[in-house]
Amino acid sequence: MKNYWKLIIIVLSVLLVGALGWGAYLYMVNQKSIEQINICQDDELVARLIVNNVNPFSKFKFIKKRNSDCNVLMVVNKDDAINTKSEKYCSVIDSSSVSLILLINTYVNDMYDRESASAVFKKTTPLMTPYNYCPQYMDNMIDLIKLKRRLGL
């Protein structure tokens, strides 16, 4: 009888260690794929990642990555946007504005770092200039300027 209990405990222990290993593997694969993809225009993914990661530094990491990814999209598409003035690039302005506003508010309200917020603002807004043909460009720039004035950046 004692041998059966020992065998059951060993089997359950092996299953538990295997399940933990599998969970760690899936977590690593998921994190790696998130860091490799551009999350600028994937609003659902960003919202889910921010909600699931309650650690404020994890939220900040995703907010900062999204802003960085939006900057990359604006730089990569800059020449084509200037030459073709295609409407397909205009959605980047909306996503970039939302990510910039969220990042600035996080810097100012959560981290009390106005200098970094101002630096991010000065870095990102010139990247939006080639997209000034987009209908939402002026509205987004007005919102960003109002935010800048309100926060005193």
Side-chain angles (χ1 to χ4, degrees):
M1 189 72 169
K2 290 183 181 182
N3 289 336
Y4 289 120
W5 285 110
K6 287 181 182 179
L7 181 63
I8 290 173
I9 290 174
I10 291 173
V11 168
L12 289 177
S13 299
V14 169
L15 288 175
L16 180 65
V17 169
L20 290 174
W22 182 252
Y25 170 75
L26 289 178
Y27 176 78
M28 297 297 277
V29 167
N30 188 26
Q31 288 297 343
K32 187 175 182 181
S33 66
I34 289 170
E35 291 179 10
Q36 291 175 347
I37 61 173
N38 190 313
I39 62 171
C40 174
Q41 294 187 298
D42 196 345
D43 294 330
E44 291 179 22
L45 175 64
V46 171
R48 185 171 41 92
L49 290 174
I50 289 173
V51 168
N52 289 343
N53 291 296
V54 293
N55 181 349
F57 294 106
S58 295
K59 288 181 185 180
F60 178 70
K61 176 181 150 184
F62 290 125
I63 291 168
K64 195 169 181 177
K65 179 179 175 11
R66 183 178 186 200
N67 187 59
S68 174
D69 287 351
C70 287
N71 290 348
V72 167
L73 271 181
M74 287 189 292
V75 169
V76 167
N77 296 326
K78 174 184 165 185
D79 293 333
D80 198 27
I82 291 172
N83 295 332
T84 63
K85 299 202 184 298
S86 175
E87 293 284 323
K88 70 180 182 180
Y89 300 117
C90 290
S91 63
V92 175
I93 292 294
D94 287 331
S95 298
S96 182
S97 295
V98 169
S99 71
L100 181 60
I101 289 170
L102 191 57
L103 183 59
I104 287 173
N105 282 329
T106 302
Y107 270 127
V108 172
N109 297 331
D110 296 342
M111 302 175 89
Y112 308 108
D113 188 1
R114 291 184 185 280
E115 293 172 6
S116 296
S118 180
V120 168
F121 183 84
K122 289 176 184 175
K123 178 184 172 188
T124 304
T125 50
L127 297 176
M128 295 179 181
T129 305
Y131 302 91
N132 62 1
Y133 65 88
C134 295
Q136 66 268 39
Y137 174 80
M138 255 340 233
D139 292 335
N140 286 330
M141 290 308 284
I142 289 170
D143 290 342
L144 290 171
I145 291 170
K146 284 180 182 177
L147 179 69
K148 180 182 177 186
R149 287 184 182 162
R150 184 176 50 111
L151 297 176
L153 301 178

